[in-house]
Amino acid sequence: YGYFIYTAAVVARYDPAWAKKYNEKVLMLVRDIANPSPDDRYFTTFRYFDFFVGHSWALGIYSDPNGKGQESTSEAVNAWYGVYLYGQATKQSLVSTIGETLLLMEVHSTNYYWHVPQNIEIYPKGYNHLMVGILHDLIIEFQTYFGAAGFFVHGIQLLPITPVVHLMFPPYWVQDGYP
């Protein structure tokens, strides 16, 4: 729902009447992915986000044979960015704070587990890439669910391009990752 929430945030920023009319509908999307309340009878808390590892899993608690997996960190980052922006645009500080917290945690994990700095050896010596395509509980892969070409791996970690993407690609990493 990140794409929809981000879009709703942009529209809400420039059309407060629209934001007021559709606020409850947008908040249902937010609650589906970033619900902070254990008392909510309709949505689980933080459905995709794993606070222990500091990032989202693509399918939430569902696990495949290699464990839980995450491919597109940029989509997760942009989902949380959308939640943050929606809270800002509609002056809902709790929504904004939740979005900002999840955003910053996801960015930190992205820049550690997916955009691998050269000076950090977190993966086995046989893994010779500066980027991870899919991270599972049990394995790491330099590929995507739709192909193994390097541009797929780099693309899935970059798109969608929004104003927050710069947090995921610090200059030192870009110089190493895109020589």
Side-chain angles (χ1 to χ4, degrees):
Y1 299 136
Y3 291 97
F4 297 116
I5 297 168
Y6 176 82
T7 301
V10 172
V11 173
R13 166 73 171 83
Y14 296 102
D15 189 347
W18 182 93
K20 185 175 181 180
K21 180 177 179 181
Y22 292 102
N23 183 57
E24 290 304 314
K25 290 176 175 47
V26 175
L27 288 179
M28 286 187 70
L29 295 175
V30 170
R31 285 171 49 213
D32 193 17
I33 65 169
N35 179 25
S37 175
D39 298 326
D40 191 321
R41 298 180 332 171
Y42 302 104
F43 298 98
T44 188
T45 55
F46 303 104
R47 179 161 64 117
Y48 294 104
F49 201 84
D50 184 336
F51 284 91
F52 182 75
V53 296
H55 63 79
S56 303
W57 294 110
L59 300 175
I61 62 171
Y62 169 78
S63 187
D64 69 20
N66 293 314
K68 296 181 294 285
Q70 173 68 314
E71 179 185 49
S72 181
T73 58
S74 56
E75 287 183 336
V77 165
N78 278 284
W80 309 137
Y81 183 51
V83 172
Y84 164 74
L85 289 178
Y86 188 76
Q88 291 285 301
T90 58
K91 298 177 179 35
Q92 297 178 72
S93 62
L94 179 59
V95 173
S96 181
T97 299
I98 289 167
E100 183 178 32
T101 301
L102 297 173
L103 165 65
L104 294 175
M105 291 178 73
E106 194 85 45
V107 164
H108 179 77
S109 292
T110 296
N111 288 333
Y112 188 78
Y113 296 114
W114 279 269
H115 305 167
V116 184
Q118 282 191 341
N119 62 338
I120 296 178
E121 295 183 15
I122 61 171
Y123 297 122
K125 296 215 183 287
Y127 192 80
N128 298 319
H129 305 283
L130 295 176
M131 183 172 278
V132 171
I134 306 170
L135 176 70
H136 296 271
D137 283 327
L138 302 177
I139 64 169
I140 53 172
E141 300 178 275
F142 187 76
Q143 66 177 26
T144 67
Y145 290 116
F146 51 87
F151 65 88
F152 287 150
V153 175
H154 286 261
I156 199 67
Q157 302 304 341
L158 177 63
L159 299 173
I161 297 173
T162 62
V164 76
V165 78
H166 75 280
L167 295 176
M168 298 182 295
F169 292 93
Y172 70 86
W173 187 88
V174 172
Q175 288 173 343
D176 294 339
Y178 296 95

